[in-house]
Amino acid sequence: MKTATRRALIGPVLLLVAALLAVAAAMAPGARAAGGGLDDAAAALKKGPVYVDPRAANQFSSAQADALAKKIKDADKPVFVAVLPRTADYPPSTLLRDLRTKVGISGVYAVELGDGFNAGADPRVMSHSSVQNLVGSVKRSHYPTVSARLNSFVDTANQSANGQAPGSWGGSAGSGFDTGTAIGLGVLVVVGGGGAYAIARRNRKRRAEEERAALEELRVVVDEDITAFGEELDRLDFHPGEPGADDAMRTDYSRALDSYENAKSSMAAAQHPGEVQAVTQALEDGRFSLATLAARREGKPLPERRLPCFFDPRHGPSVTDVTWAPAGGAQRTVPVCAADKSRLDDGLEPLARTVRTASGDRPYWDAGPAYAPWAGGYFGGGLLPGLLVGTLLGNMMMSSAAYGADFGGMGADGGDFSGSDFNPDDFGGGFGDGGGFGDGGGFGGDGGGF
């Protein structure tokens, strides 16, 4: 390498090394700010998983904080822990959501406030019920020390949380980010930046190819659903000018036609699997309009707005709920149509919606993540993971974005920066009597989400 070239590289490398060393100095496993307050707590939690306000040092020592931080970082989970004094700096009724907002990273947030404890989580990282159960079990255990309580919480959260630790934490606590590592990284940034870009580009291309293939799988199923709905419209044989037709009937029929056209146009325009959710939502709306129209024509009571039949949404709105378990899975309550209810009562298998897979025709709930947006449009998003827990599709939905489907309240994966884009209800609850945080308004219960 020529001298001029070496000199040209030395300057940028030294600057990068200096910056990386500064970052390394800030990345202590457990962090303590000089002052305290929400801004200091949030800044520290962006750099490491544990923050102890200096005014709470008598509750949780530096050694305990470092050990807990190492445990979290070694597990590579987005679990955040703050130990704070009971002061005006930390309003108990909004503490969890304000801390989550300022940190801006999806994860599980546990806070020890004075002698109170609570936690919250982004639903994609840990479900609301999981957080409630975990916080409740910790409180009811009446651990004698803050360390015992926090370690118990973290041990379970590390096993249950989805996602990975944020990149801003700088890797596992025991990895040893020293000067040599910083210099090596500086050189890699200069020399290997092009390679990293190529890898990222290749990964994006592979993901796009997977989504295109998933969309084509879905297109077959959705086109069948659209055709089936069109046949239902024909069988109804309603004419707006027929004898006995009134404005309410004509409105129902118009809504059903609009749903049909919306479903067709949305599917034709779909570019990603997640966009299929709008198609099946339109079909579900249309089927309810047809059911309402049929009841008006026959002089029967109008149907209750219910979810479609779980086993096959083409069966139309459900009429009741039954207890059912998938093969090898736990029982759960699902909505069913009258025909499937009769079959189950007779000890027969329901008429399940099957789709084609590489291993043959399978019920949609055992067919893979491509069918998550298809099912999400029919079943209202947020209810779907509970209906499908313990099935192949349910497991994939709880651990991934399932091809962009929106299941209600789920945000970025654990460890991703999402800023203030989260549902504040998932970080509600307070810190009241009996181990909570609040003054009768906020952290009262056995925990909750953000």
Side-chain angles (χ1 to χ4, degrees):
M1 183 182 292
K2 293 182 179 180
T3 301
T5 303
R6 286 198 300 270
R7 288 175 177 171
L9 285 174
I10 287 173
V13 170
L14 290 177
L15 288 174
L16 281 166
V17 169
L20 287 168
L21 287 174
V23 171
M27 288 183 176
R32 294 178 186 274
L38 269 174
D39 288 338
D40 287 339
L45 290 175
K46 291 176 183 178
K47 300 174 183 177
V50 178
Y51 170 75
V52 182
D53 187 295
R55 294 165 291 180
N58 62 330
Q59 292 182 269
F60 203 56
S61 71
S62 178
Q64 290 171 327
D66 289 348
L68 186 63
K70 183 179 187 303
K71 178 185 292 187
I72 296 170
K73 295 177 85 173
D74 286 348
D76 193 25
K77 293 294 184 178
V79 178
F80 301 79
V81 177
V83 181
L84 312 173
R86 187 66 176 264
T87 68
D89 295 344
Y90 303 111
S93 61
T94 60
L95 176 54
L96 275 174
R97 69 187 61 175
D98 289 344
L99 184 62
R100 166 62 176 84
T101 299
K102 288 178 178 291
V103 176
I105 300 173
S106 299
V108 180
Y109 287 72
V111 175
E112 183 80 22
L113 179 65
D115 58 356
F117 174 78
N118 212 333
D122 292 88
R124 179 162 292 175
V125 182
M126 185 181 290
S127 71
H128 181 73
S129 59
S130 293
V131 177
Q132 286 183 312
N133 293 336
L134 178 52
V135 171
S137 69
V138 170
K139 290 180 178 180
R140 289 187 293 272
S141 296
H142 300 294
Y143 291 107
T145 65
V146 171
S147 178
R149 182 155 57 239
L150 294 181
N151 274 278
S152 174
F153 180 89
V154 166
D155 286 342
T156 304
N158 281 344
Q159 296 176 352
S160 305
N162 295 314
Q164 296 177 318
S168 60
W169 287 358
S172 68
S175 61
F177 191 97
D178 57 13
T179 304
T181 303
I183 293 173
L185 286 175
V187 174
L188 286 175
V189 168
V190 174
V191 178
Y197 173 76
I199 292 172
R201 183 179 180 185
R202 184 166 63 248
N203 289 340
R204 287 195 299 269
K205 182 178 179 181
R206 183 177 67 249
R207 176 66 175 179
E209 291 172 350
E210 291 174 352
E211 289 200 352
R212 280 195 294 271
L215 180 61
E216 292 312 308
E217 285 184 37
L218 277 174
R219 195 179 302 280
V220 175
V221 175
V222 176
D223 285 347
E224 292 174 355
D225 285 9
I226 293 173
T227 298
F229 182 62
E231 292 171 349
E232 291 177 44
L233 279 168
D234 290 340
R235 285 196 299 270
L236 189 65
D237 194 27
F238 175 79
H239 302 283
E242 69 181 31
D246 58 21
D247 287 344
M249 294 181 190
R250 284 187 280 271
T251 297
D252 290 335
Y253 186 64
S254 177
R255 287 175 177 167
L257 287 177
D258 288 345
S259 295
Y260 181 55
E261 294 302 325
N262 288 340
K264 290 194 296 183
S265 60
S266 295
M267 193 63 224
Q271 298 294 318
H272 304 283
E275 295 171 4
V276 169
Q277 191 162 341
V279 181
T280 51
Q281 176 65 62
L283 292 175
E284 194 274 330
D285 288 340
R287 282 199 170 88
F288 180 73
S289 295
L290 285 188
T292 303
L293 173 57
R296 294 188 199 277
R297 292 178 82 191
E298 298 170 14
K300 296 181 179 180
L302 297 183
E304 175 189 359
R305 184 64 188 260
R306 291 180 54 89
L307 294 174
C309 179
F310 171 79
F311 298 110
D312 189 342
R314 295 175 301 179
H315 295 170
S318 60
V319 297
T320 189
D321 297 324
V322 301
T323 300
W324 169 84
Q331 290 191 334
R332 79 287 317 274
T333 300
V334 297
V336 298
C337 65
D340 279 330
K341 171 68 163 57
S342 295
R343 291 182 64 84
L344 290 168
D345 289 344
D346 293 338
L348 302 174
E349 290 295 317
L351 297 175
R353 175 69 154 110
T354 59
V355 296
R356 182 156 298 178
T357 72
S359 57
D361 290 350
R362 302 289 303 165
Y364 73 86
W365 55 81
D366 276 333
Y371 294 93
W374 174 88
Y378 280 126
F379 296 104
L383 296 174
L384 190 56
L387 294 176
L388 293 172
V389 65
T391 67
L392 176 62
L393 178 53
N395 293 340
M396 290 180 173
M397 286 167 53
M398 295 304 290
S399 62
S400 72
Y403 290 103
D406 177 8
F407 302 114
M410 293 190 178
D413 286 333
D416 284 352
F417 181 81
S418 57
S420 59
D421 184 14
F422 68 94
N423 183 353
D425 291 340
D426 294 324
F427 288 82
F431 291 77
D433 294 338
F437 283 14
D439 294 307
F443 284 75
D446 282 338
F450 284 43

